[in-house]
Amino acid sequence: MNHSITESLNHSISSSLWGDAWRQLRRNRIAVASFWIIVVYLAMALYGEGVFWYFHWKDMTPPYQQTNLREEYLSPSVFRHPFAVSSVDDPGAVGSPAVDHRGQPAAKSVVARFRTGLRTLAHHPLGTDNLGRDVFQRTVQGARIAFQVGIITSCIAIPIGVILGCLAGYFGGKTDDFIVWLYSTFSSIPDLLFIMAIAMVVGKGLQGVYLGIGLTTWVNLCRLIRGEVMKHKTRPYVQVAHALGLGPFRIMFRHILPNVFHIVIITFSLRFPAAISTEVFMSFLGIGLTTWVNLCRLIRGEVMKHKTRPYVQAAHALGLGPFRIMFRHILPNVFHIVIITFSLRFPAAISTEVFMSFLGIGVQGEPSWGIMISNARLRLWQGVWWEMTFVTAAIFFIVLAFNLLGDALRDALDPRLRTSER
Amino acid sequence: MLRYIIRRIFQMIPTVFGVIVITFILFNIVGGSPAAMTLGKNVSPKALEEFDEQRGFNKPLLLGRWSATRAYENTTFERNAGPWRQVEGVTYTAPQRREPGHITLAPGKDYALPLAFKLKPQVTYQWVLKYRLLSGTAAFKTVHSYQPDDVTGAKPALAAAGGFERQIRLLTTNSAWQTVKIPFNAGAVPATLKLTVHTEGGALEICALKLRRQNANWFDTQFVFYLSQIARLDFGKSNFTNQRVSQMLKDGIGPSLCLTAPIFFVELVVAVSIALLCAFFRNTLVDRLIVVIAVMLMSVNYLVWIIFGQYMLGYRWGWFPLWGFESWTFLLLPVLIGVVSGLGGNVRFYRTIMLDEMYRDYVRTAFAKGVSRPGVLFKHVLKNAMIPILTNVVIVIPFLYTGSLLLEVFFGIPGLGNMYINAINYSDVDVIRAIVLIGSILYVIANLMTDLCYALFDPRVKIG
């Protein structure tokens, strides 16, 4: 009896919107593959972050900035015939099969030659650029910057969009008029022009400081969430979940977190003005400031629909305040839009960053993908194809993965959004 | 219908106003005066003042009586004495914990205020002064000292007198820092004007000093200046090419449209045809393959299309001319690249629209009645899908005018996109502002057009 209740409850839990979507996603092989591609890139970006901070902390030139003029224009290691028979006559040229990267003559026995070959293979696997800098390392750094851009701009855009959208949809009337005016104005200005104008006005340069902002923001957020979770712990729904024998992590992340998630959003939106005033976000700011419009429009429409639903009216009848209803009740029900938008905007943010860095108004002094393309472009005419190719491939796969995953997410969570979002 | 159109036009007004306000905030408030940024560092204050004057940047933002002037710029004495360094009898005190940095004028002397350039004749100026006077008095005076050749014939009496001085304000003793505003007139011949301070009996300490110029009225402000510029369709003057911006826009729009209009039409036709093909073969291998290819095309970066296209087709294989804008052959390659790079996204979008229509009841009915597949597709589906297609198409039109930023740069087409990127690189504010503003207004108009098209093509959309 007891068992069957748990069973049926479990069933009803897993056929919720999120559970349903999750199952649908897991069955979609393309979505899973895209997910893993993104995870790989994320790992690369994290590794890049680690490298960056390690060398920053040690105050050394990081490997991706190290120049070595003896090894300029080294082609990818596979094309250097690492396992070829050594011609001892010409041991001079670096990167030629006869010499390993330390400049010693290659050994003669098969095993030793195999070992030398492997070492050569690992030495600048994707070749070097005009200053002898490793293309692989620089591509990894590009991934790091791309993720920073994607995440930071989402952190700017999502709070503005979610909050304004909720307010407009829920309150209607004057508030709605104002917010609609605001976003229609913002969306009237051509995106790219606006982004570039903002970047020019706010100024080029500076980055890496937002990690500092992140490190100061989380304390506040953590304190708020802690207090909120402590309050929620005594609530009946948590006790019911306890009585059903659910594990603490499940309760925490499946039950309490959705109920306190609004705090995350609110905190980020409160940090946002402070962040602007420090002018740290520069070009990122530009991207974030223009993306919120679309999200705001979608959320507004959705909230307006939900306003007439029975559960909102019930909450009204119970005498709950408008903000509570908005952020606690309606928001969790429209939050999937945020996720879809995020996954669809991410590749766009990356592309914009590449574009702006290419034009020289984005990232300064770091090997972002845009800067790499901009440098590699001139060398392509001299036949140095590898730098260009690998950067292109790197961008291609991450954008492809996000496009596919975004589609799958949209199909799983809300197929209706198909035509409204391009 | 007419009433609907008129109402929609009135609804446009707040949005246009919003766009004007946003560009104003972005370029005038956030950006501040770009004079120093554009002209460089080692420029005389007079040149900067002229730059500001021409663009209205020295006026108050929204409402106010006084304009800033660079004739006397260093207003606080936080780091050094500024132009007072040269003046004899002035000592500088660096800021302490409680005390702001200030200069001290020893008593019993006349001090001339060091001005960067001549003031304007017959205009009221104002000193804003934060001072402390522990003992004694100080007087602010304007001293006109005429040389005979300064005043040629006009006012011989004044010239004979050798000038005159006028006491403007007497400052009395006070022990705390106090701010006073002292208005005065620059007079007929400001070339001979000396603004002087005379102290008597005690040292005068000054911690902030500003010089401001009076405007004609309260509404002589940056915002009104901007609005009147827009009303006159005068977008200022580029400080890089030294041409009028409106002339530059006129010159640039032709090449831009030459590039974007073919891209737009070719892409529309190709994308809709492929989408129809998808709808025709829906749920077959062909459909899937097209979707996969479309997503792949979408994922290749725009820059990469251009660079590889130019390198392979233009340089390696030599099929197209590489760079320039001389005859129509120069447009072939950029148009091709533009079409290919946008194709993926468009095909996917139109396919979604077509498939949405394909599952409607009327399509099933048509099939059941025995209408042929092409008949259904072209007569029924395409017609009904026209509305979302139209929305998409009309909205894209305003973006045609800015041209394609990167294509123009790479292929050396002298259009607006090229101009915009140059303007960004040289911080050419007037050009950027004009392009952003016009783009936005065109977008608003296109939105209006879309709504009108809706009303025309779809009887279900209610009018009035």
Side-chain angles (χ1 to χ4, degrees):
Chain A
M1 176 73 188
N2 193 9
H3 185 73
S4 75
I5 287 177
T6 329
E7 196 79 314
S8 67
L9 259 171
N10 265 344
H11 180 73
S12 74
I13 285 167
S14 57
S15 66
S16 70
L17 174 70
W18 297 98
D20 221 28
W22 179 239
R23 270 190 296 131
Q24 203 182 326
L25 272 185
R26 282 213 341 226
R27 254 189 277 123
N28 186 342
R29 259 187 243 148
I30 294 177
V32 174
S34 315
F35 175 76
W36 283 112
I37 291 179
I38 292 170
V39 169
V40 168
Y41 270 83
L42 189 62
M44 258 167 62
L46 287 175
Y47 166 75
E49 197 72 57
V51 169
F52 175 79
W53 284 105
Y54 177 77
F55 284 97
H56 186 75
W57 177 61
K58 280 250 186 160
D59 204 16
M60 281 158 55
T61 316
Y64 56 88
Q65 299 284 40
Q66 265 164 21
T67 56
N68 182 356
L69 291 178
R70 285 182 64 223
E71 292 192 327
E72 58 176 10
Y73 297 134
L74 224 52
S75 55
S77 58
V78 185
F79 293 88
R80 279 181 258 143
H81 313 294
F83 300 107
V85 185
S86 58
S87 58
V88 200
D89 307 337
D90 179 28
V94 176
S96 78
V99 222
D100 69 2
H101 67 281
R102 292 202 191 87
Q104 291 155 351
K108 284 174 185 96
S109 81
V110 177
V111 180
R113 209 202 299 157
F114 182 68
R115 211 179 288 152
T116 322
L118 278 187
R119 215 179 293 142
T120 318
L121 209 57
H123 182 63
H124 294 313
L126 302 186
T128 57
D129 67 359
N130 62 332
L131 295 174
R133 296 174 297 196
D134 188 39
V135 171
F136 176 69
Q137 293 276 0
R138 290 175 74 77
T139 312
V140 169
Q141 288 300 312
R144 171 187 136 233
I145 286 166
F147 265 84
Q148 279 180 357
V149 171
I151 291 170
I152 289 177
T153 55
S154 305
C155 287
I156 298 171
I158 285 178
I160 303 182
V162 167
I163 294 200
L164 289 184
C166 275
L167 289 173
Y170 192 84
F171 285 116
K174 287 262 158 59
T175 324
D176 192 29
D177 288 346
F178 176 72
I179 291 171
V180 169
W181 171 76
L182 196 66
Y183 75 56
S184 55
T185 302
F186 264 80
S187 65
S188 304
I189 303 176
D191 266 7
L192 218 50
L193 302 188
F194 197 34
I195 290 171
M196 288 169 69
I198 291 178
M200 190 213 76
V201 166
V202 174
K204 312 166 181 176
L206 262 181
Q207 71 137 327
V209 193
Y210 37 82
L211 195 77
I213 291 181
L215 283 180
T216 51
T217 318
W218 72 272
V219 180
N220 201 10
L221 188 65
C222 176
R223 209 187 56 213
L224 282 170
I225 293 252
R226 180 176 159 274
E228 201 65 16
V229 170
M230 275 167 79
K231 252 193 284 168
H232 273 262
K233 249 172 75 181
T234 56
R235 296 267 167 93
Y237 75 89
V238 177
Q239 293 178 343
V240 170
H242 259 303
L244 286 172
L246 302 180
F249 281 101
R250 196 193 170 104
I251 294 178
M252 215 184 304
F253 289 113
R254 199 78 166 269
H255 297 241
I256 298 181
L257 193 61
N259 282 303
V260 298
F261 197 73
H262 58 286
I263 295 179
V264 180
I265 293 162
I266 292 169
T267 311
F268 271 96
S269 74
L270 288 178
R271 298 301 303 189
F272 179 45
I276 292 186
S277 64
T278 50
E279 288 192 3
V280 169
F281 287 120
M282 38 159 269
S283 60
F284 300 157
L285 181 82
I287 306 175
L289 268 182
T290 51
T291 354
W292 63 270
V293 175
N294 232 336
L295 184 63
C296 178
R297 184 179 302 151
L298 286 172
I299 293 253
R300 170 175 168 270
E302 207 60 10
V303 169
M304 275 166 83
K305 253 189 280 165
H306 275 263
K307 234 174 89 178
T308 54
R309 295 266 170 94
Y311 76 92
V312 177
Q313 293 177 343
H316 256 306
L318 286 172
L320 301 181
F323 284 97
R324 194 189 169 107
I325 296 179
M326 214 170 357
F327 288 110
R328 204 81 158 255
H329 296 242
I330 299 182
L331 190 59
N333 282 304
V334 298
F335 202 74
H336 57 277
I337 296 179
V338 178
I339 290 178
I340 296 171
T341 311
F342 176 79
S343 66
L344 288 176
R345 292 309 309 197
F346 208 100
I350 292 177
S351 306
T352 313
E353 185 271 322
V354 168
F355 175 81
M356 292 187 42
S357 302
F358 175 80
L359 291 175
I361 37 184
V363 178
Q364 310 276 314
E366 298 272 337
S368 112
W369 284 338
I371 288 176
M372 286 177 76
I373 288 186
S374 153
N375 294 338
R377 172 171 77 105
L378 301 171
R379 288 169 221 143
L380 184 68
W381 300 76
Q382 304 162 7
V384 182
W385 52 269
W386 47 90
E387 207 181 342
M388 193 73 199
T389 312
F390 292 122
V391 178
T392 308
I395 300 175
F396 174 73
F397 285 114
I398 184 76
V399 173
L400 182 68
F402 265 109
N403 275 335
L404 292 172
L405 187 69
D407 273 4
L409 267 175
R410 185 170 52 184
D411 286 347
L413 285 170
D414 199 347
R416 283 174 307 113
L417 285 178
R418 248 196 203 153
T419 34
S420 51
E421 169 86 43
R422 256 187 93 178
Chain B
M1 188 66 195
L2 194 67
R3 267 185 61 190
Y4 176 73
I5 295 175
I6 291 172
R7 216 187 55 201
R8 274 301 278 110
I9 289 175
F10 272 109
Q11 280 170 358
M12 254 171 64
I13 293 173
T15 314
V16 172
F17 183 73
V19 169
I20 293 173
V21 170
I22 286 180
T23 46
F24 179 74
I25 290 176
L26 187 63
F27 291 108
N28 289 49
I29 300 179
V30 180
S33 168
M37 197 162 68
T38 28
L39 295 183
K41 272 179 189 161
N42 302 318
V43 186
S44 71
K46 189 157 174 67
L48 294 176
E49 175 97 348
E50 272 165 9
F51 181 93
D52 277 351
E53 191 83 2
Q54 197 188 344
R55 290 164 178 79
F57 275 121
N58 51 358
K59 295 186 161 116
L61 283 175
L62 289 176
L63 196 69
R65 200 70 217 269
W66 302 98
S67 289
T69 170
R70 289 175 196 263
Y72 186 83
E73 208 177 0
N74 196 2
T75 51
T76 55
F77 299 100
E78 259 155 28
R79 245 174 276 136
N80 53 46
W84 290 88
R85 254 173 312 188
Q86 314 291 341
V87 184
E88 213 174 300
V90 173
T91 48
Y92 172 69
T93 317
Q96 306 288 315
R97 188 179 297 165
R98 286 285 173 84
E99 288 273 297
H102 59 267
I103 52 171
T104 311
L105 309 182
K109 262 189 79 172
D110 274 0
Y111 298 94
L113 190 69
L115 286 175
F117 52 86
K118 292 170 202 161
L119 301 182
K120 284 190 166 184
Q122 298 296 13
V123 171
T124 306
Y125 282 80
Q126 188 187 46
W127 278 305
V128 181
L129 172 77
K130 197 172 173 191
Y131 78 103
R132 185 169 65 178
L133 194 59
L134 293 172
S135 62
T137 56
F140 264 72
K141 295 183 292 190
T142 52
V143 179
H144 293 262
S145 51
Y146 293 112
Q147 302 299 317
D149 45 327
D150 276 341
V151 194
T152 43
K155 288 172 183 167
L158 281 180
F164 63 93
E165 66 171 59
R166 186 180 291 152
Q167 181 167 320
I168 306 293
R169 177 75 68 90
L170 195 70
L171 303 176
T172 46
T173 311
N174 69 326
S175 55
W177 292 107
Q178 193 195 355
T179 307
V180 285
K181 291 174 180 167
I182 308 167
F184 66 94
N185 195 301
V189 193
T192 60
L193 177 70
K194 262 192 194 156
L195 308 175
T196 51
V197 189
H198 182 79
T199 55
E200 200 61 67
L204 177 71
E205 294 165 303
I206 300 174
C207 80
L209 185 59
K210 253 192 291 192
L211 193 63
R212 302 194 300 174
R213 201 181 67 213
Q214 192 180 42
N215 287 333
N217 56 55
W218 279 88
F219 298 101
D220 188 10
T221 59
Q222 288 189 28
F223 191 62
V224 175
F225 185 80
Y226 184 36
L227 286 182
S228 74
Q229 256 190 334
I230 294 170
R232 281 182 282 125
L233 291 180
D234 163 30
F235 297 103
K237 205 167 162 190
S238 157
N239 55 285
F240 177 61
T241 61
N242 227 355
Q243 276 175 301
R244 299 220 69 81
V245 175
S246 39
Q247 187 58 40
M248 288 172 78
L249 292 179
K250 255 181 242 160
D251 293 344
I253 196 156
S256 277
L257 285 180
C258 279
L259 178 62
T260 45
I263 293 180
F264 170 72
F265 287 114
V266 173
E267 193 166 311
L268 183 67
V269 172
V270 174
V272 171
S273 325
I274 296 180
L276 275 173
L277 207 68
C278 278
F280 194 81
F281 292 110
R282 79 194 137 131
N283 287 331
T284 63
L285 194 67
V286 179
D287 180 25
R288 297 249 172 83
L289 203 66
I290 290 177
V291 174
V292 169
I293 293 174
V295 176
M296 300 262 247
L297 287 182
M298 267 171 74
S299 306
V300 176
N301 200 277
Y302 192 48
L303 271 171
V304 172
W305 281 122
I306 297 176
I307 293 172
F308 270 108
Q310 199 176 26
Y311 177 66
M312 296 309 287
L313 301 180
Y315 175 68
R316 264 294 178 73
W317 298 339
W319 291 355
F320 302 102
L322 268 185
W323 196 92
F325 186 67
E326 280 152 37
S327 68
W328 62 274
T329 49
F330 285 84
L331 285 173
L332 286 178
L333 185 56
V335 167
L336 181 71
I337 292 174
V339 169
V340 171
S341 61
L343 202 59
N346 277 322
V347 164
R348 219 165 65 120
F349 178 72
Y350 293 127
R351 177 185 166 272
T352 319
I353 291 173
M354 298 289 176
L355 286 190
D356 274 356
E357 291 295 322
M358 284 301 273
Y359 291 103
R360 293 282 166 84
D361 288 340
Y362 73 86
V363 176
R364 205 181 310 144
T365 315
F367 274 126
K369 269 171 36 187
V371 181
S372 69
R373 246 183 129 95
V376 174
L377 274 181
F378 289 105
K379 269 208 179 128
H380 298 250
V381 173
L382 189 58
K383 222 172 175 182
N384 277 292
M386 225 48 216
I387 288 169
I389 292 177
L390 212 62
T391 318
N392 189 47
V393 165
V394 178
I395 281 302
V396 174
I397 288 176
F399 295 99
L400 295 183
Y401 115 99
T402 48
S404 168
L405 300 176
L406 282 183
L407 279 176
E408 286 182 10
V409 171
F410 270 84
F411 290 96
I413 295 165
L416 289 180
N418 207 340
M419 207 164 85
Y420 189 76
I421 286 180
N422 277 336
I424 291 266
N425 282 337
Y426 296 112
S427 306
D428 203 343
V429 179
D430 281 350
V431 177
I432 299 170
R433 196 163 68 173
I435 293 183
V436 169
L437 191 72
I438 293 179
S440 320
I441 290 172
L442 286 180
Y443 183 87
V444 176
I445 294 171
N447 248 330
L448 174 80
M449 291 299 178
T450 326
D451 278 9
L452 295 183
C453 288
Y454 265 163
L456 279 178
F457 289 100
D458 192 350
R460 285 169 301 176
V461 176
K462 280 181 192 157
I463 295 174

